[in-house]
Amino acid sequence: MVAVARGPVPLTARSLSTAATFPLRSRVERVNRNDDLDAPGTPDPELAMLTAVQAKRLRALAAPYVEGGHHSPLHNLAHLCRRVPEDRWPALVESHFANLRQASRGGESAAELLAGVYARLLPVDSFNAELAGALSYARVVADGLVFAYALDGPTAVRILTDVDVNRAGLEELGQAAFANLMGVPVEHEEVAIEGRALLHSVYGDSPFVASKALFLSELAQQVTGEPLPKAGALVVVPTRHLLAYHPIVDGSVADAINDLAAYALGAYEDGPGALSPRVYWWHQGGLQSLTVIDHATRTFSLQPPPELLGLMKGLVRLDQAGRLASRATAKAPDIGALTHSTAESIARLAQDPAGLSGAFATAVQLCQAHCAPDPRVAHIDTWDAWATATQLGSALFTGARPQQCRLGEDLVAQLPAIEAEPPADARAWLDAFYLSVICRQHDRADRLCRTPLEVLRQDDSVDEYVLHWIDTLQTYWSKRPMDDVVQKLLATMKTSAPDVITRAPKDFVDLIDYQPAALFHRLITREHDLFAEALHRSLEHHGSYWGDSAAPRSQVALGPLAMASLAYDHGFPIDPHQPHLPAYLLNRERIEELPG
């Protein structure tokens, strides 16, 4: 890769591993630990890329060029100076201010302004009172960042004043600035971080590259062919020549936020063209800083707002359970290894009952993974896996007597006595209920429906519609009045609307999570034809969401299978030869008695 001529090394796997060695704190903090600020080698408090002695000399060299004692930001000049011998500094300073004078002359025609204008992100500390007074149109778009218009001249870039804006017209200038900015050529590279977080690095020679973060979704469409997801993206703009972002689509966001923070700080401090060391959340067209800077201690911390924190928590939980279609769930697991892992996790429960939740999650993966080579559940080993998952699921929420769990003819695990201590895990409850319905374990489903909803409501990783859906199922299964069931189903529908959900990705909700509720609607209204249409559609959605993924959950549409099993038992005509719908579970031909 060719390094950017006027900026630091762009984000790559190699550069990130280097940047990640930086602590999430400004290098200025190290000045605070040294009482002698004039000692050789001590970083300057304001220009940390130079020593205090060097910064003093630079300020002296710049002083004759600053008219009337007005403040002129020296950060970019300091970055340039630190890269050359000090005997070249006088010429470099003279050239720098000559370019600034040339760029500030103005007087361009409206046509010239429109041809060369760009939307521009600038650091807040580059504005003084005089400059801000001449740019009343400019606005702070996020902590540390100001939006303004800039004219790209032959030797320097000039920030447009209100006089310039009035000459060209604010609306016309805005349209031209957007078009010119999006036409700036960039390089793009995808960087995988330890096989989990996928970061996008965008860089180039232009000093306007980082300003594309203002229109990040359009940029993502340009460089990847896909817009950003509804949840947005994490983005950093450490220098004017580069930005890096991570689309928020799965649990890898927890890794990405720290990786981006470390990279941004390193690139910002290395310069030149330093813009911001912060991590931002691009969401619904705006930028919000996640980085909080304690100026007293010169330390940085990451503090996502509650909305983003809840979203991240939901994505991590979904990802850990293998429910999301992502790079992490693209490969098929080794069934043999997964079988032994399930048996071992059951064997450990006698000493560590707290491991039941993990054992159940592994068993669910195993039973679905078996359906890749055995999609109809024709083989006894596949049934054993489904039976074991059903046993563990009910034990997790309702307790269990000692019983055997078969994982094949030669492998039997002993489930010890388990006390009923239901966890606050709403999606695990749904899995356990679906399995009990599919495997026709009505007694287990009865016990599951007595799980207190107050316990499941403590799960803060799920959207409200998930809890309403559980309430609907518990009400229906407990044979309460149908009017109550309908009201709770309506609440499920209302709270699963795209503008309400905050924890789960929209495509996951639409194509996977909501489908059982849609089928249940046709089930309780006894509309056979409409149920068949809805079932066909839900299976198509399942296939569309998972694509060619070999993940265990891609093999079986668990919720639709449970609703189809209920419908089959109520006499609905169900075509058993459909994808993601094991025929011998649906028609009960493989169902056997379970212990416990």
Side-chain angles (χ1 to χ4, degrees):
M1 177 184 297
V2 179
V4 178
R6 292 188 289 178
V9 178
L11 173 63
T12 64
R14 181 176 180 181
S15 69
L16 185 69
S17 65
T18 301
T21 62
F22 287 99
L24 295 181
R25 59 190 64 196
S26 170
R27 289 179 181 173
V28 177
E29 181 198 13
R30 288 192 282 273
V31 175
N32 298 335
R33 296 199 299 265
N34 192 327
D35 295 333
D36 185 3
L37 296 182
D38 292 324
T42 300
D44 185 78
E46 295 182 2
L47 303 176
M49 67 291 294
L50 302 178
T51 66
V53 173
Q54 290 173 324
K56 184 176 181 180
R57 183 177 182 226
L58 177 59
R59 293 187 181 96
L61 290 171
Y65 299 97
V66 180
E67 299 179 2
H70 293 161
H71 172 71
S72 179
L74 298 178
H75 288 82
N76 290 338
L77 182 57
H79 276 297
L80 295 173
C81 286
R82 81 181 178 95
R83 296 173 182 268
V84 300
E86 289 193 36
D87 60 3
R88 293 175 52 190
W89 284 18
L92 190 62
V93 171
E94 181 181 8
S95 175
H96 173 79
F97 283 98
N99 288 337
L100 290 179
R101 285 195 302 273
Q102 177 67 26
S104 64
R105 290 176 181 174
E108 300 87 358
S109 67
E112 289 173 325
L113 290 173
L114 294 176
V117 68
Y118 293 82
R120 180 77 182 268
L121 283 175
L122 298 165
V124 167
D125 59 10
S126 66
F127 277 64
N128 53 36
E130 179 184 11
L131 183 58
L135 278 72
S136 63
Y137 74 89
R139 64 183 187 273
V140 175
V141 294
D143 289 349
L145 293 177
V146 174
F147 159 81
Y149 292 124
L151 184 69
D152 192 14
T155 60
V157 175
R158 179 169 75 86
I159 305 303
L160 299 187
T161 65
D162 290 334
V163 174
D164 300 312
V165 173
N166 292 334
R167 187 161 65 252
L170 183 61
E171 183 176 349
E172 294 81 357
L173 204 63
Q175 294 173 351
F178 169 75
N180 292 340
L181 178 64
M182 298 315 293
V184 169
V186 296
E187 298 289 334
H188 168 250
E189 183 173 341
E190 293 184 354
V191 183
I193 308 305
E194 297 181 356
R196 289 292 295 129
L198 182 66
L199 308 182
H200 295 267
S201 173
V202 179
Y203 55 95
D205 287 340
S206 169
F208 300 107
V209 172
S211 299
K212 288 174 178 273
L214 287 165
F215 311 101
L216 192 61
S217 193
E218 290 87 346
L219 174 64
Q221 182 77 55
Q222 281 186 348
V223 299
T224 70
E226 297 180 358
L228 293 177
K230 179 188 174 185
L234 303 177
V235 61
V236 295
V237 286
T239 79
R240 60 194 179 196
H241 297 283
L242 59 89
L243 64 86
Y245 71 92
H246 169 77
I248 301 174
V249 293
D250 57 33
S252 66
V253 64
D255 300 316
I257 190 171
N258 291 306
D259 292 330
L260 284 171
Y263 171 71
L265 182 61
Y268 172 81
E269 292 181 333
D270 286 343
L275 188 53
S276 172
R278 298 173 180 265
V279 178
Y280 295 93
W281 180 27
W282 189 96
H283 186 231
Q284 297 180 347
L287 292 168
Q288 182 175 356
S289 175
L290 307 183
T291 304
V292 176
I293 301 177
D294 186 330
H295 294 282
T297 61
R298 305 283 182 157
T299 58
F300 292 15
S301 63
L302 292 168
Q303 297 180 21
E307 182 183 2
L308 178 57
L309 193 60
L311 174 63
M312 291 172 63
K313 185 178 294 186
L315 288 172
V316 169
R317 287 284 292 273
L318 286 168
D319 215 3
Q320 288 175 343
R323 299 177 187 272
L324 296 180
S326 64
R327 292 184 305 122
T329 57
K331 296 181 180 179
D334 183 306
I335 292 179
L338 199 55
T339 299
H340 285 284
S341 178
T342 304
E344 290 172 358
S345 63
I346 296 172
R348 287 194 295 268
L349 294 178
Q351 288 74 40
D352 182 19
L356 180 55
S357 180
F360 174 53
T362 304
V364 172
Q365 283 191 323
L366 176 62
C367 73
Q368 293 178 312
H370 265 289
C371 292
D374 184 18
R376 296 181 301 171
V377 188
H379 302 148
I380 188 63
D381 286 0
T382 306
W383 163 252
D384 284 344
W386 279 82
T388 294
T390 303
Q391 291 171 267
L392 294 180
S394 63
L396 179 62
F397 289 93
T398 70
R401 296 192 298 270
Q403 56 197 266
Q404 289 185 336
C405 295
R406 302 192 67 87
L407 292 166
E409 292 185 5
D410 300 326
L411 186 57
V412 178
Q414 185 67 37
L415 179 66
I418 300 291
E419 293 185 5
E421 294 183 8
D425 191 336
R427 293 188 189 280
W429 186 93
L430 283 172
D431 279 349
F433 181 79
Y434 291 156
L435 287 164
S436 293
V437 170
I438 292 165
C439 295
R440 307 322 198 262
Q441 296 294 300
H442 294 167
D443 288 344
R444 281 186 162 89
D446 289 342
R447 297 198 299 271
L448 283 165
C449 285
R450 292 195 287 270
T451 302
L453 199 57
E454 291 73 19
V455 172
L456 300 178
R457 284 199 177 103
Q458 296 172 22
D459 184 353
D460 61 357
S461 71
V462 298
D463 289 285
E464 189 178 357
Y465 75 88
V466 177
L467 298 168
H468 282 300
W469 175 228
I470 293 173
D471 195 11
T472 303
L473 292 173
Q474 290 187 346
T475 302
Y476 169 78
W477 195 264
S478 302
K479 296 181 173 59
R480 296 178 209 159
M482 187 54 67
D483 286 347
D484 292 348
V485 176
V486 171
Q487 289 303 314
K488 295 177 187 300
L489 179 60
L490 289 173
T492 302
M493 295 176 174
K494 182 179 179 180
T495 54
S496 62
D499 59 339
V500 177
I501 56 175
T502 60
R503 297 293 195 266
K506 180 180 180 297
D507 60 339
F508 171 79
V509 175
D510 290 346
L511 301 178
I512 301 295
D513 232 21
Y514 178 69
Q515 293 307 307
L519 286 166
F520 183 76
H521 173 214
R522 301 306 178 187
L523 172 68
I524 63 175
T525 56
R526 297 295 190 265
E527 298 170 296
H528 291 190
D529 291 343
L530 292 179
F531 183 91
E533 292 175 9
L535 178 59
H536 177 73
R537 187 163 53 250
S538 71
L539 297 175
E540 282 189 334
H541 287 331
H542 184 90
S544 172
Y545 176 79
W546 285 103
D548 58 0
S549 173
R553 286 189 181 269
S554 70
Q555 306 304 321
V556 179
L558 193 63
L561 174 59
M563 296 302 105
S565 297
L566 283 174
Y568 184 90
D569 292 349
H570 281 88
F572 282 54
I574 306 293
D575 177 9
H577 304 295
Q578 300 185 69
H580 316 298
L581 202 70
Y584 294 150
L585 292 178
L586 176 65
N587 65 16
R588 304 191 297 264
E589 289 187 22
R590 176 45 77 185
I591 304 297
E592 299 180 8
E593 291 295 324
L594 296 184

